[in-house]
Amino acid sequence: MVFEGRSIDEIADAEIDQLVREHVSERRHLEFKVTVNHQDDQDRLELLRDIVSMSNGGGGYLIIGIRDDGKGRAQKYEPSMVGDLNKIRRAILYLCLDHISERIDDLEIRPRIVNGNPLLIVRVPVSARIPHMVTFQNRTEFYTRYEDGKREMTLSEIREAFNQDLVARRLSKIEVQLSAMTSSQEVLTQRKGISEKVASGVFPRFLTIENGEILADTTSQRFVEEIDEKPFFRVAITPANPHAELIDVESEDARRLLGSPPGSRRAGWNMEGQYSRIERFEEGVRQGAKDSRYLELMSNGHMEFWKPLDEEFCWRQSSEEFRIKPRLYSIPVIEYPATFLRLYRAIVDALHVKGEFLIDLQYRNLKGYTLNPYAPRSVSFMFSDGRVKTFEGQHLIVPRKKVAGNFEADRVAYDLVRVVYAAFGVEAKLIPFYTSEGKFVFPTS
């Protein structure tokens, strides 16, 4: 194939100019056009046929801005005929999206200036979804391409293309399933070995795990085993690709941020900060205690926070009310995940950690708890007790969320909290403290 099927950006100007200098002929994978009148229906139809025929015929390049000699050989550039390249590019893109089925994946349309001559190049990739068809002006057409140009496909060619595509799809699905089975077995074997290591007390337990999903699952399993049947909250974040030295937990930046978590309020429901000292342990640093507030940052980038669902989490309830029908207080429900993610984002920014991250949030042994809508102390909050839903399940586990390294902490926290409120039958618009700018603003006192 001409240009070996490369992306347009990988083709040098000299290679394109050579087509004109050597008067290269059109062929199965190459066609020239002087211009395209994207407002003329016949021009639009011919363009669709050209692109579909190339896609069904093994891919190719359509170059707009070169005149042929009437016999298909490139003759010269026609800069005065091309028109507005960006306007034509958009018109072709929308034309293909609206009038070609199945959609052609990875279709490229790029303006280029070659020796001062404006060109528009369309790269039609080899497609795995043939046959593609033109649907335009109440007609449906199948075209393919040969060395002598494009022509309409016969019924037998269309049927054969469909059959080939169905077989390819079936084989692809089988390969995916086999790969998933093999991968699942490998993951199960790894998880079993890690679980045995955790149970035996061997250290380091987690630093050798280089699969983010496995690390997130095994640290969660440890949490579940340790809390047993006690009501607890946990939020955690894990790099998608962890490794043992991803974060320097002893660096000044890490210590400073852990000692004074950003966006935290004095006496608020924050990360530990000023309330406990930072301790070094085999796999990272930690502060607090698991029976009150506990924050842990591992050198592989995993961080998690635990908090029992006690009377502090159910603030402004009497001991009797807490015993009979515990009610989660809305500020810790929101502030813990928000300040946790603010802290982690600050750490990865300061230490220049890149990649994607997996976020988990869960409430264990939550049955019988309630959660009121609106801000505390508001009239709506105080009189909503009779209308709130009591959580009837055993555990509330928010689906794992994957985020990019530049995630916005408060927006992600809002997405997590929205799932929590929904579990209590509360609409997102009734979640307090979230502003139209996508930030949580908590009361100062």
Side-chain angles (χ1 to χ4, degrees):
M1 182 193 292
V2 64
F3 303 139
E4 294 82 39
R6 285 174 287 157
S7 169
I8 295 170
D9 292 338
E10 295 174 341
I11 303 169
D13 286 355
E15 294 178 273
I16 299 170
D17 189 52
Q18 186 179 6
L19 300 176
V20 177
R21 285 188 292 104
E22 298 184 2
H23 306 298
V24 172
S25 295
E26 292 178 330
R27 58 196 66 177
R28 181 173 182 175
H29 304 294
L30 177 66
E31 179 158 334
F32 306 118
K33 280 186 179 295
V34 176
T35 188
V36 171
N37 183 352
H38 56 84
Q39 295 180 330
D40 180 83
D41 283 345
Q42 190 57 41
D43 261 28
R44 295 167 76 203
L45 178 58
E46 282 304 309
L47 183 67
L48 287 167
R49 288 170 174 169
D50 288 333
I51 293 172
V52 161
S53 69
M54 280 191 175
S55 187
N56 289 334
Y61 299 85
L62 174 64
I63 303 179
I64 299 168
I66 295 177
R67 181 184 295 278
D68 67 47
D69 63 357
K71 297 181 180 179
R73 292 189 296 260
Q75 185 181 37
K76 63 178 181 176
Y77 297 107
E78 285 284 8
S80 63
M81 297 288 291
V82 176
D84 186 327
L85 293 179
N86 285 316
K87 186 178 289 186
I88 296 173
R89 184 190 69 80
R90 288 194 299 271
I92 294 174
L93 175 62
Y94 294 135
L95 192 66
C96 292
L97 291 175
D98 291 341
H99 298 289
I100 294 178
S101 182
E102 300 276 336
R103 182 173 294 181
I104 301 172
D105 295 330
D106 302 322
L107 183 71
E108 283 188 273
I109 310 171
R110 296 273 194 280
R112 285 286 288 268
I113 305 295
V114 176
N115 290 345
N117 299 290
L119 299 174
L120 190 70
I121 304 176
V122 181
R123 172 183 167 267
V124 183
V126 176
S127 177
R129 305 173 70 184
I130 63 172
H132 299 273
M133 65 181 177
V134 175
T135 56
F136 188 77
Q137 293 182 328
N138 298 318
R139 67 173 79 194
T140 299
E141 298 178 340
F142 292 87
Y143 271 77
T144 191
R145 196 167 178 88
Y146 295 89
E147 290 300 328
D148 59 351
K150 65 179 181 289
R151 68 169 174 78
E152 205 160 358
M153 295 173 71
T154 65
L155 184 60
S156 61
E157 287 174 328
I158 295 169
R159 185 180 292 116
E160 182 181 359
F162 271 117
N163 288 337
Q164 287 177 349
D165 188 45
L166 286 172
V167 170
R169 290 183 186 181
R170 289 178 189 138
L171 288 172
S172 176
K173 287 180 180 178
I174 290 170
E175 287 176 1
V176 168
Q177 289 170 345
L178 287 172
S179 175
M181 288 169 64
T182 303
S183 176
S184 296
Q185 190 57 50
E186 290 174 354
V187 167
L188 287 172
T189 302
Q190 288 184 52
R191 285 182 175 152
K192 183 180 178 183
I194 293 163
S195 296
E196 290 171 353
K197 184 183 287 188
V198 171
S200 66
V202 174
F203 286 90
R205 298 168 293 179
F206 303 110
L207 294 189
T208 58
I209 304 173
E210 296 187 347
N211 180 305
E213 295 282 351
I214 296 177
L215 179 57
D217 288 346
T218 51
T219 52
S220 176
Q221 179 186 345
R222 173 194 62 167
F223 165 74
V224 170
E225 290 172 353
E226 287 198 30
I227 67 165
D228 195 20
E229 296 181 0
K230 296 187 289 293
F232 252 87
F233 164 81
R234 175 183 183 262
V235 59
I237 186 164
T238 308
N241 297 293
H243 60 83
E245 297 179 353
L246 186 65
I247 286 182
D248 181 1
V249 296
E250 295 184 344
S251 68
E252 287 187 15
D253 284 329
R255 292 280 180 153
R256 172 179 53 81
L257 291 166
L258 288 167
S260 182
S264 295
R265 300 181 303 135
R266 185 176 180 83
W269 281 266
N270 311 310
M271 298 304 94
E272 272 301 297
Q274 60 185 315
Y275 298 106
S276 61
R277 67 185 183 89
I278 300 171
E279 298 178 342
R280 187 70 164 94
F281 74 109
E282 298 87 349
E283 297 179 288
V285 291
R286 60 192 175 196
Q287 55 188 155
K290 293 177 180 176
D291 59 356
S292 60
R293 302 190 213 190
Y294 178 71
L295 179 67
E296 180 177 278
L297 173 65
M298 298 183 191
S299 61
N300 60 11
H302 175 81
M303 189 169 91
E304 59 184 79
F305 175 79
W306 304 12
K307 178 73 179 78
L309 301 179
D310 51 15
E311 291 185 45
E312 185 189 17
F313 215 112
C314 298
W315 190 251
R316 294 192 178 277
Q317 264 198 309
S318 67
S319 297
E320 182 66 14
E321 289 174 322
F322 175 73
R323 186 181 63 80
I324 296 172
K325 193 172 187 179
R327 181 187 66 209
L328 299 174
Y329 195 49
S330 52
I331 301 181
V333 167
I334 300 168
E335 194 169 11
Y336 278 138
T339 56
F340 176 87
L341 292 174
R342 289 172 185 173
L343 170 60
Y344 193 81
R345 175 65 198 273
I347 291 172
V348 297
D349 283 351
L351 301 182
H352 308 292
V353 178
K354 306 297 183 183
E356 295 181 312
F357 302 92
L358 312 172
I359 302 175
D360 291 304
L361 186 148
Q362 57 183 302
Y363 287 83
R364 307 289 303 190
N365 305 306
L366 189 64
K367 187 172 184 176
Y369 281 73
T370 63
L371 173 62
N372 286 15
Y374 305 106
R377 301 185 184 179
S378 68
V379 174
S380 299
F381 175 87
M382 290 186 286
F383 287 95
S384 60
D385 275 349
R387 295 182 284 111
V388 297
K389 175 183 173 183
T390 300
F391 191 76
E392 297 298 337
Q394 191 62 32
H395 312 296
L396 170 52
I397 301 175
V398 175
R400 181 168 292 161
K401 186 174 182 66
K402 179 180 279 190
V403 297
N406 62 345
F407 68 89
E408 296 181 50
D410 285 29
R411 290 186 186 275
V412 175
Y414 176 73
D415 289 341
L416 301 173
V417 168
R418 189 166 53 179
V419 178
V420 174
Y421 271 88
F424 291 89
V426 178
E427 297 177 78
K429 65 182 180 181
L430 304 182
I431 298 173
F433 315 124
Y434 194 64
T435 69
S436 57
E437 290 77 32
K439 301 289 184 183
F440 281 112
V441 178
F442 300 105
T444 55
S445 61

